[in-house]
């Protein structure tokens, strides 16, 4: 009885293009980065020593900036493999942006309380949820790629995604006992993704 009124994935394809979704995501990520940098407060004094207290939050911001930039870069390339923007892709994209939007808050909290147990756990947890959300988003895009089997085979050539998830899980756990280990794990993931992922470019 709902056959004439219901909307399937093909109706979404007629209205939302990958370019439109990419442009929306670009705008949101740009705002997220802008908000994150606002956590760097201007020192009241003009001497070099007034910058020292800002070092922890600057390091946290740099990691957050690199993390958001990595998601933006991979997101941009990933959307190039499909012209069909399904409802699943749209909602998984919003889910990813929701967790990414919490990075500035987590950045400021950890930067102001570097070494703190709860801020470290929270920051690690946000990064973990971002990674999980991107994995879900990637799965949705793969389902609607023109040649999903070859694309999945190309993606499976690297284990960086799995390693990242494992490191973030460990960072959350170690945050309760030794935040320094959590910091090392998070920095390791950031360094690992510093070199852009070439799998999608090779596939295209």
């Amino acid at each position: 009885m709902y056959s004439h009124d219901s909307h399937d994935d093909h109706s979404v394809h007629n209205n939302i293009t990958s370019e439109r979704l990419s442009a929306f995501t670009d705008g949101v990520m740009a705002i997220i980065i802008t908000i994150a940098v606002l956590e760097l407060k201007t020192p009241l004094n003009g001497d070099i020593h007034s910058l020292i207290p800002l070092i922890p939050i600057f390091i946290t911001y740099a990691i957050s900036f690199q993390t958001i930039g990595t998601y933006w870069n991979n997101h941009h390339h990933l959307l190039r493999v499909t012209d069909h923007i399904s409802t699943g892709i749209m909602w998984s994209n919003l889910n990813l942006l929701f967790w990414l939007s919490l990075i500035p808050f987590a950045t400021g909290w950890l930067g102001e309380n570097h070494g703190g147990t709860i801020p470290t756990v929270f920051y690690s947890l946000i990064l973990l949820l971002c990674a999980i959300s991107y994995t879900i988003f990637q799965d949705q895009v793969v389902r609607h790629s023109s040649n999903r089997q070859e694309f999945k085979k190309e993606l499976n050539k690297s284990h960086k995604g799995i390693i990242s998830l494992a490191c973030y899980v460990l960072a959350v756990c170690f945050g309760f006992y030794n935040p320094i280990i959590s910091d090392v794990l998070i920095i390791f993931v950031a360094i690992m993704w510093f070199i852009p992922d070439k799998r999608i470019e090779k596939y295209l």
Side-chain angles (χ1 to χ4, degrees):
M1 62 182 292
Y2 296 101
S3 60
H4 297 290
D5 297 326
S6 61
H7 297 279
D8 56 16
D9 284 349
H10 296 288
S11 63
V12 176
H13 171 66
N14 293 329
N15 297 310
I16 303 296
T17 63
S18 58
E19 290 80 10
R20 183 179 176 185
L21 185 65
S22 181
F24 170 75
T25 303
D26 289 350
V28 174
M29 288 192 179
I31 294 173
I32 292 173
I33 289 178
T34 302
I35 295 174
V37 77
L38 294 178
E39 296 298 332
L40 289 171
K41 308 300 181 183
T42 304
L44 297 178
N45 300 321
D47 57 278
I48 190 68
H49 299 289
S50 61
L51 294 175
I52 295 178
L54 295 178
I55 293 177
I57 193 170
F58 175 78
I59 294 175
T60 308
Y61 165 72
I63 294 173
S64 298
F65 182 93
Q66 190 274 341
T67 299
I68 298 170
T70 297
Y71 280 113
W72 172 79
N73 184 45
N74 291 339
H75 184 281
H76 169 73
H77 290 302
L78 188 61
L79 281 182
R80 293 172 60 191
V81 304
T82 181
D83 292 322
H84 180 194
I85 302 302
S86 67
T87 302
I89 291 177
M90 293 175 63
W91 279 108
S92 60
N93 187 72
L94 286 173
N95 179 52
L96 171 63
L97 293 178
F98 173 78
W99 297 113
L100 286 174
S101 69
L102 292 176
I103 288 182
F105 173 77
T107 299
W109 195 18
L110 180 60
E112 294 291 345
N113 303 275
H114 187 68
T117 297
I118 301 303
T120 299
V121 171
F122 183 76
Y123 186 77
S124 303
L125 181 61
I126 292 301
L127 295 183
L128 172 61
L129 292 172
C130 287
I132 293 175
S133 299
Y134 184 82
T135 302
I136 295 173
F137 172 73
Q138 178 177 270
D139 180 67
Q140 288 294 321
V141 173
V142 169
R143 290 184 183 184
H144 295 88
S145 61
S146 56
N147 195 335
R148 70 178 68 179
Q149 295 303 324
E150 287 188 11
F151 188 37
K152 288 180 66 175
K153 185 182 299 183
E154 189 65 40
L155 290 175
N156 290 334
K157 290 181 179 180
S158 173
H159 300 293
K160 290 169 68 173
I162 297 176
I163 295 174
S164 299
L165 287 170
C167 286
Y168 287 146
V169 170
L170 291 174
V172 172
C173 297
F174 277 112
F176 290 102
Y177 306 101
N178 193 333
I180 295 179
I181 297 180
S182 299
D183 295 340
V184 172
L185 289 168
I186 291 172
I187 293 174
F188 170 75
V189 174
I191 294 175
M192 182 174 61
W193 285 100
F194 188 78
I195 301 176
D197 193 347
K198 298 293 185 180
R199 291 174 296 171
I200 301 177
E201 291 185 28
K202 290 180 180 179
Y203 171 78
L204 292 172

